[in-house]
Amino acid sequence: MIPSLADITAARDRIKDVAIRTPLLRVPTDIAGDAWLKLENLQPIGAFKIRGAANAMALVDPAVLKESGVYTASAGNMAQGVAWCARALGAACSVIVPEHAPKAKTDAIERLGGTVIRVPFDVWWKTLIDHGYPGMKGLFVHPFADPAVMAGNGTIALEIFEELENVDTILVPYGGGGLSCGIAAATRAVSPQTKVYAVEADTAAPLTASFAAGKPVTVEMTRTWIDGMGSNAVSIEMWPFVTELLAGTKVASVDEIADALRILVARVRVIAEGAGAAGLAVIRQGEELGRVVSIVSGGNIDVARVVAVLQPQERDRSATCALSSPSVANTGR
């Protein structure tokens, strides 16, 4: 079910003490035209995911959560969002991660008090499809295919339109679709003339291919250093939402995203994940988008990876660096 404006407005009230109202920053005009950045990388966990996690969990009696606990299936930002909120509530948190999940990310989950459960990739993926893991007790928070999570994500759009008039375009990195659909649901209600586009890297663009085919399709995915977006398939569960809500997709190359990340760090003083830099990469392509807002969805990127991407002599080599998990679809966005 697509969240309504009432759902999203209610979500804003629920999460106001958990997620911060992030800044909307103008991009210098010599870098891009009338372009703005919504800095979700400044959230307490370094990504937008805290919004959806907080809203989904706020709909459940805290006493029930403390008794039964909460869990999710994620190796990245949603895991940290759920763990952050669970710790604040005094609830136990478990996270189902694919066996290839990197230690750096599982360590972050554990630092927030989450218990990491490694499973084969197929089992992890089935957990997403089934919205649950056999034998696991507690509330399951789906990283994207949950109206409450989408409503929490939609609060980003409310903040944008309260601060900025006449927005023509919003660019949102695409992983699972929960971020783009939440923002698009709010946009349709508040500013229906504004177009919301999903952004993909050309090495992993199943939504673009699916729109072209008129149905969900599977594509070949090339692993790169870009995480937080991209996979080899579109969630069938999310397909009706994306076709109804999104104006289409925009695609950037790995080199374009690397250049955008370099600009964000060196000129705008913003640290972003590959996904968070993708919107600026599209803006820099020069297509007329009017007044455009790019969602900097997160900033959880290894320092070593930032250094490699920023150094021109390393950028070509960095394009072949593996994703945080070789077989894992980046279903965060």
Side-chain angles (χ1 to χ4, degrees), residues 198-219:
V199 178
E200 297 185 297
D202 61 1
T203 51
L207 185 59
T208 300
S210 297
F211 275 150
K215 61 181 180 181
V217 298
T218 299
V219 300

Side-chain angles (χ1 to χ4, degrees), residues 51-288:
R51 293 178 185 261
N55 188 50
M57 294 169 67
L59 292 170
V60 180
D61 186 336
V64 173
L65 288 178
K66 289 181 181 179
E67 179 179 354
S68 61
V70 61
Y71 71 107
T72 189
S74 166
N77 291 332
M78 180 52 109
Q80 293 182 58
V82 172
W84 177 283
C85 295
R87 184 177 64 177
L89 291 170
C93 172
S94 297
V95 181
I96 312 298
V97 306
E99 56 193 353
H100 294 110
K103 187 174 185 298
K105 290 196 173 183
T106 57
D107 284 351
I109 296 167
E110 290 174 339
R111 281 197 301 271
L112 291 170
T115 299
V116 173
I117 301 172
R118 288 183 181 269
V119 299
F121 175 80
D122 291 346
V123 175
W124 178 80
W125 187 251
K126 191 173 188 300
T127 302
L128 292 176
I129 294 173
D130 294 346
H131 287 241
Y133 183 76
M136 185 70 69
K137 295 181 179 180
L139 172 72
F140 177 70
V141 181
H142 199 286
F144 56 87
D146 181 336
V149 169
M150 286 188 275
N153 297 340
T155 61
I156 295 171
L158 297 185
E159 293 176 8
I160 291 172
F161 294 120
E162 286 170 355
E163 295 185 32
L164 192 62
E165 296 180 346
N166 303 319
V167 176
D168 298 296
T169 307
I170 301 178
L171 300 174
V172 189
Y174 191 88
L179 177 59
S180 56
C181 287
I183 287 174
T187 298
R188 183 170 68 174
V190 176
S191 181
Q193 74 279 7
T194 303
K195 295 181 178 180
V196 178
Y197 289 95
V199 178
E200 297 185 297
D202 61 1
T203 51
L207 185 59
T208 300
S210 297
F211 275 150
K215 61 181 180 181
V217 298
T218 299
V219 300
E220 184 176 348
M221 175 182 174
T222 301
R223 296 193 300 271
T224 73
W225 60 272
I226 299 167
D227 58 5
M229 63 185 287
S231 66
N232 65 348
V234 174
S235 164
I236 294 176
E237 189 174 5
M238 294 297 292
W239 178 246
F241 300 155
V242 299
T243 53
E244 180 175 343
L245 291 170
L246 301 182
T249 66
K250 303 292 181 183
V251 178
S253 71
V254 173
D255 285 344
E256 287 172 329
I257 294 172
D259 286 339
L261 179 56
R262 175 181 57 79
I263 290 169
L264 286 175
V265 174
R267 294 289 312 284
V268 191
R269 306 298 189 263
V270 168
I271 301 294
E273 301 168 7
L280 181 60
V282 169
I283 292 169
R284 295 282 291 166
Q285 291 171 349
E287 179 183 351
E288 178 53 52

